[in-house]
């Protein structure tokens, strides 16, 4: 393979059902020697589809390991010699088999049962399947590139046997099951490295190729990628430190910086929120949530939120459209009971915060649940007794679960805005105007001097008609 020309490499790709990669390999002049020198990063730049990345890296790794004399048990099970150009080099010396054979259930012949047009003896498949259970009984399992898929739970087996496209929850179930199975190979590590990830993905897609078809949305498999020993160490440290009463916040900041890329990758690939918070529990802390927002936008969201509520408070509270709003009525009743300037200012800012959706004609139920149960999945505030100095409570909820307890309305509003950005959640249309107003001031660093023209004209019109 080392002496292959670019044309020979392209022919090899076609024979391996990787013909889509030929134009890019020709453009980059990838010869046999260059092919064997590719690393994970180079493959990711050359190849777009994760399934193709996995297959290509697996073929390269198999060739290199066999060429170095590293052969696993499954070599002895191969009974038909390859007929492709790499026959002499042995790049296809290892076949990966699923413990759940689609052939036995549906009559469908998976690619692992084909070998250059011929069928592998079913007895060999059965023998390999039985060997999986032998290895499973061993306390210590040696990692090799002949990874055997675990026997999935019955409901997963049914979906795969029928070649149905798994829904989101089923895909996550498959991924979590694979991730749990991998731990027996990793000597205490939580996640496979990139090479092991490629082998696992290749095994899954060889056994169930329909999972890689366009539109099936199996991108979540990337959660398995990118974790290494250093990442594992950070994740373990986060979990231990989060449980402490007194935390080393300086060290938390450093480690959150180092894991930012991995965290953003998971969020961009729509990893479940529960999984993100399980690995990075400090995102539940308002301080770290604000800090994450600042790392992404270079803006101090808490400081900007204070400015907005202070500057716009008087104008908003005097709008005729909110004069008879229950929040405003509640505010006026409580203002009569206090004379302290700080308390009066606090109450007015709280009312301003809660009245924002009504000012912009938005759905306030998507913004805050005041003295009632949270009913929406998107980020929303839970507010109890908003004008009570001693019993008021603010909390941020996402997916109807409490994310963080907050000190006051300013912190609550800042946390609500930050949550949408940090977790990559799309703002509902029925609250869009309110968030556009706030984000235009926070993200663009405009000095808030007056309400938007539309609201200002509305205020002037109402004043004329009083």
């Amino acid at each position: 393979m080392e002496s292959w020309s670019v044309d020979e490499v392209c022919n090899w790709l076609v024979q391996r059902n990787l013909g889509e990669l030929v134009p890019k390999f020709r453009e980059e002049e990838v010869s046999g020697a260059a092919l064997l020198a590719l690393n994970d990063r180079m493959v990711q730049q050359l190849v777009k589809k994760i399934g193709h990345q996995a297959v290509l890296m697996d073929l390269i790794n198999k060739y290199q390991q066999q060429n170095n004399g590293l052969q696993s048990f499954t070599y002895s099970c191969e009974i038909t010699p390859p007929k492709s150009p790499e026959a002499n080099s042995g790049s296809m010396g290892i076949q990966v088999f699923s413990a759940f054979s689609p052939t036995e259930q549906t009559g469908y012949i998976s690619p692992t049962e084909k070998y250059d047009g011929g069928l592998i003896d079913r007895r060999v498949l059965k023998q390999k399947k039985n060997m999986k259970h032998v290895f499973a009984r061993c306390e210590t399992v040696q990692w090799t590139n002949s990874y055997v898929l675990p026997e999935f739970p019955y409901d997963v087996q049914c979906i795969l046997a029928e070649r149905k496209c798994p829904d989101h929850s089923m895909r996550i179930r498959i991924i979590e099951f694979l991730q749990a199975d991998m731990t027996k190979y990793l000597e205490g590590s939580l996640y496979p490295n990139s090479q092991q990830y490629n082998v696992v993905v290749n095994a899954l897609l060889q056994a169930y190729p329909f999972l890689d078809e366009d539109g099936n949305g199996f991108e979540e498999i990337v959660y398995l990628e990118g974790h290494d020993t250093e990442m594992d160490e950070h994740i373990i440290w986060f979990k231990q430190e989060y449980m402490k009463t007194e935390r080393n916040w300086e060290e938390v900041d450093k480690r959150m910086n180092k894991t930012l890329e991995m965290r953003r990758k998971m969020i961009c690939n729509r990893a479940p929120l529960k999984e993100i918070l399980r690995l990075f529990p400090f995102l539940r802390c308002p301080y770290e949530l604000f800090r994450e927002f600042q790392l992404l936008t270079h803006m101090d969201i808490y400081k900007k939120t204070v400015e907005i509520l202070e500057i716009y408070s008087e104008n908003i509270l005097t709008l005729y459209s909110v004069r008879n709003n229950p929040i405003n009525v509640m505010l006026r009743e409580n203002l009569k009971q206090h004379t302290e300037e700080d308390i009066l200012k606090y109450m007015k800012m709280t009312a301003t915060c809660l009245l924002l959706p009504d000012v912009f004609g938005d759905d306030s139920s998507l913004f805050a649940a005041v003295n009632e149960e949270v009913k929406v999945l998107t980020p929303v505030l839970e507010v109890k007794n908003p004008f009570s100095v001693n019993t008021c409570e603010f909390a941020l909820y996402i997916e109807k679960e409490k994310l963080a307890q907050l000190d006051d309305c300013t912190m609550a509003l800042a946390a609500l805005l930050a949550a949408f950005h940090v977790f990559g959640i799309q703002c509902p249309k029925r609250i869009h105007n309110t968030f556009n107003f706030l984000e235009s001031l926070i993200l663009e660093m405009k000095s808030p001097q007056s309400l938007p023209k539309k609201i200002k004209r509305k205020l002037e019109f109402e004043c004329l008609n009083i």
Side-chain angles (χ1 to χ4, degrees), residues 4-252:
W4 284 1
S5 65
V6 174
D7 288 337
E8 287 174 317
V9 170
C10 291
N11 289 336
W12 177 77
L13 289 172
V14 172
Q15 293 171 3
R16 293 289 155 239
N17 296 320
L18 297 173
E20 294 181 25
L21 309 184
V22 168
K24 187 66 175 178
F25 273 59
R26 287 192 185 280
E27 178 185 345
E28 299 294 338
E29 298 182 356
V30 180
S31 63
L35 180 67
L36 295 176
L38 293 176
N39 57 31
D40 290 355
R41 183 67 62 183
M42 295 176 184
V43 169
Q44 290 173 5
Q45 292 175 348
L46 279 170
V47 183
K48 292 183 179 180
K49 291 186 177 180
I50 293 175
H52 288 169
Q53 292 176 15
V55 171
L56 183 62
M57 284 302 299
D58 189 56
L59 293 175
I60 293 172
N61 291 333
K62 286 170 182 176
Y63 171 80
Q64 291 173 335
Q65 289 199 3
Q66 188 179 8
N67 201 43
N68 292 331
L70 300 176
Q71 299 183 355
S72 69
F73 171 80
T74 56
Y75 278 105
S76 62
C77 294
E78 301 298 345
I79 61 175
T80 307
K83 300 176 183 178
S84 53
E86 71 276 13
N88 294 331
S89 65
S91 65
M92 287 298 293
I94 300 178
Q95 290 290 318
V96 184
F97 296 90
S98 167
F100 177 67
S101 171
T103 306
E104 296 176 7
Q105 300 294 327
T106 65
Y108 166 73
I109 300 173
S110 79
T112 56
E113 295 179 75
K114 294 181 179 179
Y115 208 29
D116 295 327
L119 292 178
I120 295 179
D121 191 320
R122 291 174 185 269
R123 289 172 296 178
V124 177
L125 287 175
K126 185 175 181 180
Q127 179 184 6
K128 289 190 176 185
K129 182 177 177 181
N130 291 338
M131 285 305 300
K132 184 188 84 72
H133 299 292
V134 174
F135 287 125
R137 288 194 295 268
C138 298
E139 292 184 2
T140 303
V141 183
Q142 182 79 28
W143 168 262
T144 71
N145 278 8
S146 56
Y147 174 74
V148 178
L149 289 174
E151 187 166 351
F152 289 111
Y154 179 73
D155 59 333
V156 177
Q157 292 184 20
C158 292
I159 293 292
L160 296 176
E162 295 175 11
R163 303 189 69 201
K164 289 184 177 180
C165 174
D167 60 18
H168 180 77
S169 60
M170 181 60 70
R171 293 196 300 271
I172 297 302
R173 182 162 159 73
I174 293 172
I175 292 163
E176 290 178 345
F177 194 83
L178 285 174
Q179 187 169 329
D181 181 71
M182 282 294 297
T183 58
K184 66 176 179 281
Y185 294 100
L186 304 179
E187 300 178 354
S189 176
L190 294 176
Y191 300 96
N193 58 35
S194 295
Q195 180 182 352
Q196 292 166 333
Y197 151 78
N198 288 332
V199 174
V200 173
V201 174
N202 189 33
L204 184 66
L205 298 182
Q206 279 191 11
Y208 309 106
F210 60 89
L211 294 176
D212 196 38
E213 293 174 3
D214 291 341
N216 272 354
F218 211 77
E219 295 87 354
E220 285 90 345
I221 196 71
V222 299
Y223 301 161
L224 297 176
E225 183 188 12
H227 293 281
D228 51 26
T229 304
E230 182 181 2
M231 184 62 66
D232 293 345
E233 193 273 329
H234 288 313
I235 290 171
I236 293 171
W237 188 90
F238 283 141
K239 291 180 179 180
Q240 294 174 344
E241 191 70 13
Y242 187 73
M243 299 303 293
K244 296 180 180 178
T245 304
E246 295 184 5
R247 298 158 179 166
N248 184 345
W249 289 107
E250 183 177 353
E251 185 64 20
V252 170

Side-chain angles (χ1 to χ4, degrees), residues 201-465:
V201 174
N202 189 33
L204 184 66
L205 298 182
Q206 279 191 11
Y208 309 106
F210 60 89
L211 294 176
D212 196 38
E213 293 174 3
D214 291 341
N216 272 354
F218 211 77
E219 295 87 354
E220 285 90 345
I221 196 71
V222 299
Y223 301 161
L224 297 176
E225 183 188 12
H227 293 281
D228 51 26
T229 304
E230 182 181 2
M231 184 62 66
D232 293 345
E233 193 273 329
H234 288 313
I235 290 171
I236 293 171
W237 188 90
F238 283 141
K239 291 180 179 180
Q240 294 174 344
E241 191 70 13
Y242 187 73
M243 299 303 293
K244 296 180 180 178
T245 304
E246 295 184 5
R247 298 158 179 166
N248 184 345
W249 289 107
E250 183 177 353
E251 185 64 20
V252 170
D253 291 348
K254 290 179 181 178
R255 290 177 182 264
M256 289 293 281
N257 285 349
K258 291 180 180 179
T259 57
L260 178 64
E261 182 179 354
M262 181 60 203
R263 200 158 52 251
R264 299 319 305 170
K265 183 176 181 180
M266 290 181 67
I267 292 171
C268 288
N269 285 295
R270 298 181 182 179
L273 179 63
K274 289 182 180 180
E275 178 68 6
I276 296 169
L277 295 175
R278 184 180 70 83
L279 300 179
F280 307 103
F282 281 98
L283 287 178
R284 293 179 176 275
C285 302
Y287 165 76
E288 286 299 330
L289 191 64
F290 298 158
R291 189 172 177 278
E292 189 94 348
F293 182 92
Q294 190 163 11
L295 289 174
L296 298 174
T297 65
H298 307 290
M299 302 291 179
D300 185 338
I301 190 170
Y302 182 78
K303 180 180 178 181
K304 297 293 290 185
T305 302
V306 172
E307 293 176 0
I308 292 170
L309 291 181
E310 287 181 343
I311 293 174
Y312 286 94
S313 180
E314 292 298 331
N315 282 340
I316 287 176
L317 295 177
T318 55
L319 279 173
Y320 182 76
S321 61
V322 299
R323 186 165 298 177
N324 295 320
N325 187 286
I327 296 294
N328 215 342
V329 173
M330 197 185 308
L331 169 67
R332 290 197 297 269
E333 291 176 355
N334 281 273
L335 288 177
K336 298 175 183 178
Q337 302 174 18
H338 300 277
T339 57
E340 298 88 343
E341 185 176 345
D342 290 342
I343 294 179
L344 297 178
K345 179 181 177 181
Y346 166 80
M347 289 185 176
K348 289 181 179 180
M349 289 177 64
T350 299
T352 300
C353 171
L354 299 178
L355 287 170
L356 280 171
D358 296 283
V359 171
F360 289 93
D362 283 340
D363 186 346
S364 59
S365 68
L366 297 174
F367 187 84
V370 181
N371 293 330
E372 61 182 27
E373 183 183 355
V374 169
K375 299 178 182 178
V376 299
L377 294 174
T378 52
V380 67
L381 299 176
E382 182 193 56
V383 184
K384 296 179 180 180
N385 308 315
F387 302 111
S388 172
V389 177
N390 298 319
T391 62
C392 62
E393 294 182 11
F394 296 85
L396 175 64
Y397 276 69
I398 305 181
E399 297 179 358
K400 295 185 179 181
E401 293 190 10
K402 188 174 181 178
L403 182 77
Q405 189 74 32
L406 307 160
D407 293 342
D408 53 37
C409 67
T410 306
M411 182 178 286
L413 181 56
L416 179 64
L417 292 168
F420 278 98
H421 282 270
V422 170
F423 297 114
I425 300 172
Q426 187 174 3
C427 176
K429 291 183 179 180
R430 289 181 293 155
I431 199 71
H432 190 69
N433 293 328
T434 303
F435 281 93
N436 269 354
F437 165 66
L438 295 168
E439 290 174 355
S440 67
L441 298 173
I442 292 172
L443 297 180
E444 297 178 9
M445 298 184 69
K446 293 179 180 178
S447 298
Q449 296 177 353
S450 62
L451 288 167
K453 292 181 179 179
K454 180 180 178 181
I455 302 301
K456 187 176 181 180
R457 285 197 299 268
K458 183 177 179 182
L459 175 61
E460 293 172 348
F461 176 79
E462 289 174 347
C463 291
L464 290 174
N465 287 275

